[in-house]
Amino acid sequence: MYIVHVESPVNTKFLSIEDRRSWHESFLPSPHLDSGEPRLVYSYAHVISGFAARLTSEDVKAMEGKAGFLHAQPDQELEIMTTYTPAFLGLNQWNGVWWDSDFGAGTIIGVIDTGILPTHPSLSDDEMPLPPLKWRGRCDFNDASLCNNKLIGAMSFKAGYDSSPLDEHGHGTHIASTVVGSQVYDAHVLGNARGSATGIAPKAHLAIYKVVHDNQGFDSDLLAAIDQAILDGVDVLSISLGRVSEQLYDSAAIIGSFAAMEKGVLTCAAAGNGGPYPSVIANDAPWMLTIGASTTDRRITVTVQLGNEMEVEGEAVYQMSNLERTAQSPIAYPGSNGVLEFKYCRPSTLFNIDIQDKIVICWADNDGNVEKGITIKRAGGAGMILLNSPLQSLTIIVEAHVLPVAHLSHRETMKLLSYIDLPLHTCPTATIISKGTRFRAQPSPAVASFSSRGPSLINGGILKPDVISPGVNILAAWSLDTGLSQSTPFNFMSGTSVSTAHLAGVAAMLRSTHPEWSPAMIKSAIMTTAYKQDLDGNHIAAEYPDDSPDSDFFAMGAGHVNPSGAHDPGLVYDIEPSDYINYLCGLSLTDREVSVIAHQNIQCSDVEKISVEELNYPSISLSLELDRRKIITRNATNVGEAHSVYFVHFDEPEGVTMDVTPDMLYFTRKNQKRCFTIEFITKDDFTGRGHVSEGQLSWVNKQHTVRSPISVNFV
């Protein structure tokens, strides 16, 4: 399968869907394959100027000579990247953005994922209004009554074949309920994290677009889903899928979100789970809101008491038949031989090891840990201790297990290993003690070790991710039977996909309260009001490495989302769609490459190119040569009080002197714009070539602090 970008025919407008299909079919070597299958799979209307078709590389090569051909790329596979988090985010049902937005009422959020379980109580439409008149979508379940005023549409995309939007994975239902879930009382996982579960925007409407089938999703289906969502009239898109791209024009999510932005739709997208490595970041175009993952202060705590009375702390969820602790049991460590397969307790390694009535030590995988526990239980094991690697460090992924489990951070892992490695302990023992749900864990929030970091390698240096949001051990609806005796399925899930769901809900509330705002204005409001301090007033930490250092902007972006602040940001930085084209041409992309992204014919010689630093972005990222200076411009729009004055405050990055002109912004009406310049001068004695320094610039009055992070790369 290939995705093919073409120009629209000169001086011709498509009058019908058939006209567009005929134009796209004219590029094909034949309408059908030898098998009789049609070659044309998708004829895109909004998202790109082009189509997806069943082609060989030879077919594409022959097509390249045809007039109107721009670019073709192979269809690539995508990666799949709450009872408490609304309160953790400061949402209050009696005041603030939740109240003012009527919980997101009147907005439509499109979730592109693995589908939906429509019968889950989180999708109840009690007290939900009718869908907006602009809604043009449909419900593709065999029983259309499964949709309601909450779940107003559900479609599935699978290479042009008929398929059901039913969620057979769990991910999509979890994401959807995190965004818009209705209140469900007494939600829990095996009695843990018990409370009333609700989504971030519980009165928003939900449109589901399934593109992942049997754990596989592809660019062509993602483009079709975005194309349909634009046609249907969604206000916000939540995309928890994507991949790290080599070029902006090779990513379906990046290209599709550009078309959505032009139609006034903000795309919230996952940064990816490639951390803690640098520059393994997805969905990093400037017109997307790119979201990293943070922790909350809630922990499902477990203590491991060792035979020498030493205790190590961990987390886990399991069912203990009303017992709080296991018996003191011998420890079995298959990985003591140093063989990787044994360290990770692969099923084949446990057959010849005596684990009857023992607590088994296994190193933790990113997934598959529950299956390890099932194997150990079947073999007669009494429990399991999961160990984090140095890269997983302090971030513990909680899962619902079938036997007593303690999952340890790498810091606690080293304590445990020091015990079992002692020569005197030829027969080490342990007991696992459940401590239940606890709050006020410190530090919190912190950046998860798995959360993808910048800098981006393809967007010219724009700071990514944009913000962080809760994405570790989030409880929400689940579509599958966990096999753990729960009447209503809820489960924990972690990842930047869950963080993205939170931001989609926040964006929907801002769309509800500020319908006149552009996607860039909503994004600016979220970024410039994000906070850098944790609940104890310290700089937000990173959960990698073990010493938990302060997070840099490549890990947390502008900071942690603050919905109440975003509701009333004071000033915003707006960006017109044409500004992005000027920026793309400034990246030295070819005309064809820019045309692919903009889905229109672009001649960069005819546009006003701008440098990356000159894009009116809420964060500031620039490259600076030693012994040089650089002046950049920003344009602030007043969305607060009509008569208002802001004064500049800034923290200079190391090695730089800053000068801001003017140092005061005076507004006399709403939506008035004021321009200012920032001059960066390298200090004479600074010799940090290759160094990255961080600072910040804020416009401040009594009601608002409008903060932009600054990142300077010395080249």
Side-chain angles (χ1 to χ4, degrees), residues 53 267 374 411 560 565 591 625 655 683 712:
T267 298
I374 292 171
R411 188 188 292 163
H560 194 280
D591 290 349
E625 296 181 23
K683 292 181 178 178
V712 179

Side-chain angles (χ1 to χ4, degrees), residues 388-595:
N388 264 9
S389 70
L391 290 176
Q392 292 164 326
S393 195
L394 304 180
T395 301
I396 296 175
I397 305 302
V398 167
E399 299 164 285
H401 290 278
V402 298
L403 80 171
V405 170
H407 191 154
L408 308 184
S409 70
H410 185 254
R411 188 188 292 163
E412 296 296 291
T413 288
M414 299 311 293
K415 296 179 185 178
L416 174 68
L417 292 179
S418 70
Y419 163 69
I420 64 174
D421 285 344
L422 288 175
L424 296 177
H425 293 123
T426 55
C427 208
T429 62
T431 183
I432 297 174
I433 307 167
S434 172
K435 297 291 184 69
T437 306
R438 294 187 176 182
F439 297 90
R440 293 297 299 173
Q442 297 172 315
S444 180
V447 179
S449 61
F450 62 75
S451 184
S452 285
R453 271 78 164 161
S456 168
L457 299 180
I458 64 172
N459 69 15
I462 288 173
L463 194 60
K464 290 286 181 170
D466 292 308
V467 289
I468 55 174
S469 180
V472 179
N473 303 329
I474 305 302
L475 186 149
W478 199 243
S479 66
L480 306 177
D481 181 5
T482 59
L484 297 171
S485 304
Q486 289 203 170
S487 57
T488 301
F490 284 87
N491 209 346
F492 292 106
M493 197 166 73
S494 300
T496 54
S497 56
V498 192
S499 307
T500 300
H502 285 83
L503 261 298
V506 172
M509 291 189 291
L510 297 182
R511 168 64 73 214
S512 180
T513 54
H514 304 286
E516 74 283 4
W517 283 6
S518 69
M521 294 168 78
I522 294 175
K523 180 175 172 179
S524 174
I526 291 170
M527 292 177 63
T528 60
T529 58
Y531 56 84
K532 296 196 305 177
Q533 286 75 39
D534 64 20
L535 296 179
D536 296 308
N538 302 314
H539 190 96
I540 289 175
E543 291 204 320
Y544 169 85
D546 284 0
D547 60 354
S548 196
D550 289 350
S551 286
D552 60 22
F553 293 148
F554 294 135
M556 71 174 182
H560 194 280
V561 62
N562 173 15
S564 297
H567 177 46
D568 181 22
L571 306 176
V572 294
Y573 298 99
D574 197 11
I575 304 175
E576 297 290 333
S578 59
D579 296 332
Y580 291 117
I581 293 176
N582 298 343
Y583 147 81
L584 290 170
C585 288
L587 290 179
S588 299
L589 297 178
T590 67
D591 290 349
R592 281 194 172 195
E593 290 164 352
V594 176
S595 299

Side-chain angles (χ1 to χ4, degrees), residues 638-644 667-674:
N638 179 31
V639 294
E641 298 80 7
H643 291 272
S644 54
F667 297 92
T668 59
R669 65 181 186 275
K670 290 193 72 168
N671 298 315
Q672 188 176 12
K673 298 180 183 294
R674 286 283 185 258

Side-chain angles (χ1 to χ4, degrees), residues 55-273:
L55 299 166
T56 65
S57 58
E58 290 78 13
D59 294 332
V60 171
K61 192 167 185 62
M63 190 186 300
E64 290 175 356
K66 293 191 175 184
F69 174 87
L70 288 175
H71 175 69
Q73 62 198 67
D75 197 10
Q76 298 194 53
E77 189 171 352
L78 300 164
E79 295 177 19
I80 299 179
M81 310 282 199
T82 156
T83 55
Y84 180 58
T85 46
F88 185 78
L89 292 175
L91 296 173
N92 186 304
Q93 64 179 317
W94 304 116
N95 54 53
V97 64
W98 233 7
W99 176 266
D100 291 346
S101 71
D102 192 15
F103 306 91
T107 57
I108 304 170
I109 302 176
V111 173
I112 301 178
D113 215 284
T114 68
I116 193 73
L117 177 66
T119 56
H120 198 283
S122 289
L123 299 177
S124 166
D125 66 349
D126 289 348
E127 300 183 14
M128 282 291 298
L130 293 170
L133 293 176
K134 68 173 183 175
W135 171 246
R136 297 186 293 274
R138 67 176 194 257
C139 182
D140 278 354
F141 287 110
N142 289 333
D143 180 1
S145 67
L146 290 173
C147 292
N148 56 26
N149 289 333
K150 165 73 73 178
L151 175 61
I152 60 175
M155 297 181 66
S156 181
F157 301 86
K158 188 180 181 181
Y161 299 111
D162 289 338
S163 57
S164 168
L166 184 67
D167 185 9
E168 298 171 323
H169 183 283
H171 191 276
T173 299
H174 193 285
I175 295 300
S177 68
T178 302
V179 181
V180 303
S182 299
Q183 190 170 48
V184 178
Y185 296 101
D186 196 32
H188 61 90
V189 178
L190 301 178
N192 294 279
R194 192 182 294 272
S196 294
T198 186
I200 302 300
K203 282 194 177 181
H205 303 282
L206 174 66
I208 288 292
Y209 303 91
K210 179 177 179 178
V211 299
V212 177
H213 305 264
D214 300 322
N215 291 322
Q216 281 190 315
F218 292 91
D219 276 352
S220 58
D221 296 322
L222 176 57
L223 281 173
I226 299 174
D227 203 51
Q228 187 65 47
I230 294 171
L231 177 65
D232 289 346
V234 304
D235 298 295
V236 176
L237 273 175
S238 174
I239 300 180
S240 298
L241 312 165
R243 52 184 173 78
V244 178
S245 304
E246 296 182 1
Q247 298 288 347
L248 288 171
Y249 57 84
D250 274 339
S251 164
I254 287 174
I255 294 172
S257 61
F258 188 95
M261 173 272 301
E262 289 185 305
K263 299 294 185 180
V265 179
L266 175 63
T267 298
C268 301
N273 302 327

Side-chain angles (χ1 to χ4, degrees), residues 621-636:
S621 183
L622 69 151
S623 297
L624 191 63
E625 296 181 23
L626 298 181
D627 303 322
R628 293 294 179 93
R629 65 180 61 200
K630 185 172 284 188
I631 299 175
I632 69 171
T633 303
R634 286 293 185 270
N635 205 323

